[in-house]
Every structure is written in C-alpha cells, then in structure tokens.
Amino acid sequence: PPPPPPPVVPTGLSPPPPHSSVGLLGGAGGLAGAAPTGVVGIGPESHGAMRKWFNDLVIGQQGVLFENATVQVGYRHAYQQHQGRVALYLKSKGGRLVEPRAELLEAPHLAWTTTQPLPQAVEPGTTATFMVNVECLAPYEGAPECVLSFTVAGGNTLHRYGLRLPVVAACFVEPVLLGAQDFLSRWAALGAPSADDPPKQQQALFARSAGPVDSSVMQDVKARVLLRGLKLGPTNGLDESNPSQVTCAGTLRTGTLGPSGQRVSVGLLVKLDAEPAGGQGGQGGFKLTVRAVHGKVALAFKNVIQAQLA
C-alpha cells in the first residue's frame, strides 16, 4: 500500500464552495490527445474484493480502496465531530496516466472542499495524492460515490471507475457513555410508536458466516467493531451480567445549525444479541436493533453493522 501522509487533524477547515454537491478533483479540462474510442469500467470479478476493502475502511483508517492491473487507489481518512479529511492515492502500475480526474457525485448531505488536486499526469510506478475536506450537513444513509477517470498514454481507451467512498454516517459519530438506567430509559423512549420514515427503530436477524457466536465473539465485536471501529460508547453496568448482549451509544454530529443556534446532533443506541446455534440456518448469528432520534441514522447504522458481522 502507498505510504500514509502525516497525521491529519481536521480542524479549521475552509468553508465549502458555493456548489459543493458536485466537485471535480484534479484535471484541468478534457482528456489530452484524440477522443477516446472506448470505455473500460470495473468488471464483476472485482466486486467481492471491493466490498471487503470498503468494509475494512469503514472501521479502519487506511488501506486499499480499489486495485486492478492498471492502478491502485489507496485511501486514508480522519474525522473530528462533523468534519473530516479524505486522501486518495492514485498509483500507476503500468503506463503513464493522462489527465486523471475524480468527480464526486451529488450528495446534498455532504459538503466537499478540494485541498490538493490531482496532477496533469501520473508517471509509471509513481503515486499522486489528492485530498478533500468533508463536512456532514444532515443525517444520511449510504455512501458517496467518486468516479475516477483517465487514459493511459499510447492508448485511446477511457478508464472510468465508479468507487464508493467509505464516508458513511458512522464517520461523524462520537461516543456517548451511559449507565444502565440511562440507556434503558432512552431505549424505551425511542421505542415509542411513530410515523417516521424510515422508522426510528431498525432491526435485523442474520447468520454469521465465520461460524457460531459465543461470548468471545461478542467481546471481539464489541471492542473491534462497535467501540474502536464505529466509535460508539459502552454502557456501564448493563452487559456485564449478560455475555450474549452488547449495548452502546453515540451521537451523530452535523454542521447544520438548529433553531437554538447549536449544531444539530442525532443520538443513537445499539443493542446486539447473540442468537444461539440452531437459529439462523442452524449455526447461530445475531439479532441487531438500532434506535435513533432520526430514522436515517438508525438505518445507516443497522446496515453498516450488519455488513461488518454477516
């Protein structure tokens, strides 16, 4: 993997440009030379590896986002409250990459500011870096997409790759430390019937492909995925007596000001239960329940956690 840049602390970020829903990172106009006569994209043989890379980066700081015979795209990200910084590293594995461009597709819940654009070309065996600052403006579910395009010197084929960036809602969450009674009272309050769409409670029952779920698996999930990876806070005094259960809490930070003049934050609670062997296809699995003040946050966390554990 490409070497990481110096540690980044996303403070004092510049304001987003006037039209921040779509940004172009690198490139200064059209592709050099004759117009391309064909387009090559990402083949289905890459989808499995891309899914794993994406999920690893959701709970990790750096790694590979995409790789094929032509390029490797490295990735690094860091966040503080509602702001973050994302770096991509475009490495040429063969020929000279001409006019590389990266287009961020429309994402109204995020604002982007380019801080280091791509160069005009990437020489064989070298790596080019581009960086953006990102700000969360509102609750959302899913991940933004970046379209990377370039030609290889001496060829007339346009390489065009649609890449999901692991800038998920969980990136903008901070841990909340709760005692047992506080967790249970908030859990009950968020479980009241409502007409929210999507609902404030999201639930999933699913098997664990890696094998049965026991207390050691639950502790690993709690420490590695929920607390360290997704930056949730543990509940004090609730899980100790039940090794088959994990509870935690967090707050999604946004940069949008509410009626009080304070930035809007969205609280969320997570409860993960081990399903015994004999259920979920006979091998056991998980029962995941997420409750949040905003339904999109509950849905986002349900999907992210399920992708990590299934």
Side-chain angles (χ1 to χ4, degrees):
V8 291
V9 180
T11 57
L13 302 183
S14 56
H19 301 287
S20 58
S21 58
V22 177
L24 293 178
L25 314 180
L31 295 165
T37 58
V39 178
V40 60
I42 298 174
E45 69 278 0
S46 299
H47 292 172
M50 290 180 66
R51 188 178 303 110
K52 182 181 185 304
W53 291 330
F54 179 92
N55 287 332
D56 287 347
L57 284 166
V58 165
I59 62 171
Q61 292 185 336
Q62 63 183 10
V64 173
L65 181 65
F66 174 72
E67 185 170 11
N68 62 12
T70 305
V71 296
Q72 181 190 74
V73 181
Y75 187 90
R76 181 182 172 95
H77 55 166
Y79 303 87
Q80 182 176 314
Q81 296 186 2
H82 62 285
Q83 298 177 309
R85 182 167 292 173
V86 175
L88 285 90
Y89 309 96
L90 180 62
K91 180 180 180 180
S92 172
K93 297 175 64 177
R96 182 173 186 259
L97 308 184
V98 180
E99 291 284 0
R101 297 165 67 94
E103 179 184 359
L104 292 166
L105 302 190
E106 185 173 357
H109 46 268
L110 298 173
W112 303 89
T113 307
T114 305
T115 58
Q116 183 175 335
L118 284 170
Q120 294 294 315
V122 183
E123 300 300 329
T126 66
T127 300
T129 301
F130 65 88
M131 299 184 72
V132 292
N133 292 336
V134 60
E135 181 179 8
C136 178
L137 302 177
Y140 67 100
E141 189 278 325
E145 185 174 355
C146 176
V147 178
L148 176 67
S149 60
F150 57 87
T151 59
V152 179
N156 60 355
T157 299
L158 175 67
H159 292 254
R160 184 177 173 86
Y161 307 136
L163 306 175
R164 284 198 310 153
L165 302 182
V167 185
V168 297
C171 294
F172 303 99
V173 163
E174 293 186 328
V176 174
L177 304 179
L178 296 177
Q181 290 305 313
D182 283 341
F183 182 94
L184 293 174
S185 62
R186 297 187 191 193
W187 185 262
L190 289 174
S194 70
D196 292 66
D197 184 22
K200 293 181 179 180
Q201 173 173 301
Q202 298 288 326
Q203 193 169 78
L205 293 167
F206 53 94
R208 178 175 181 261
S209 59
V213 178
D214 56 22
S215 59
S216 64
V217 170
M218 294 295 286
Q219 288 305 307
D220 173 69
V221 168
K222 178 179 180 178
R224 180 178 56 86
V225 178
L226 299 178
L227 304 189
R228 186 168 65 249
L230 299 179
K231 300 177 294 184
L232 296 170
T235 303
N236 183 30
L238 191 58
D239 301 337
E240 288 80 358
S241 61
N242 185 358
S244 298
Q245 173 185 277
V246 172
T247 57
C248 45
T251 298
L252 173 74
R253 302 295 188 184
T254 80
T256 300
L257 298 181
S260 66
Q262 301 295 314
R263 291 191 176 97
V264 174
S265 298
V266 180
L268 69 129
L269 304 173
V270 174
K271 184 179 179 183
L272 183 69
D273 294 289
E275 288 285 288
Q280 304 304 313
Q283 66 182 37
F286 299 100
K287 177 182 178 182
L288 170 64
T289 309
V290 182
R291 293 179 180 178
V293 176
H294 195 293
K296 284 187 178 180
V297 175
L299 180 60
F301 263 80
K302 188 269 291 185
N303 290 342
V304 164
I305 295 172
Q306 185 173 354
Q308 293 293 324
L309 303 185

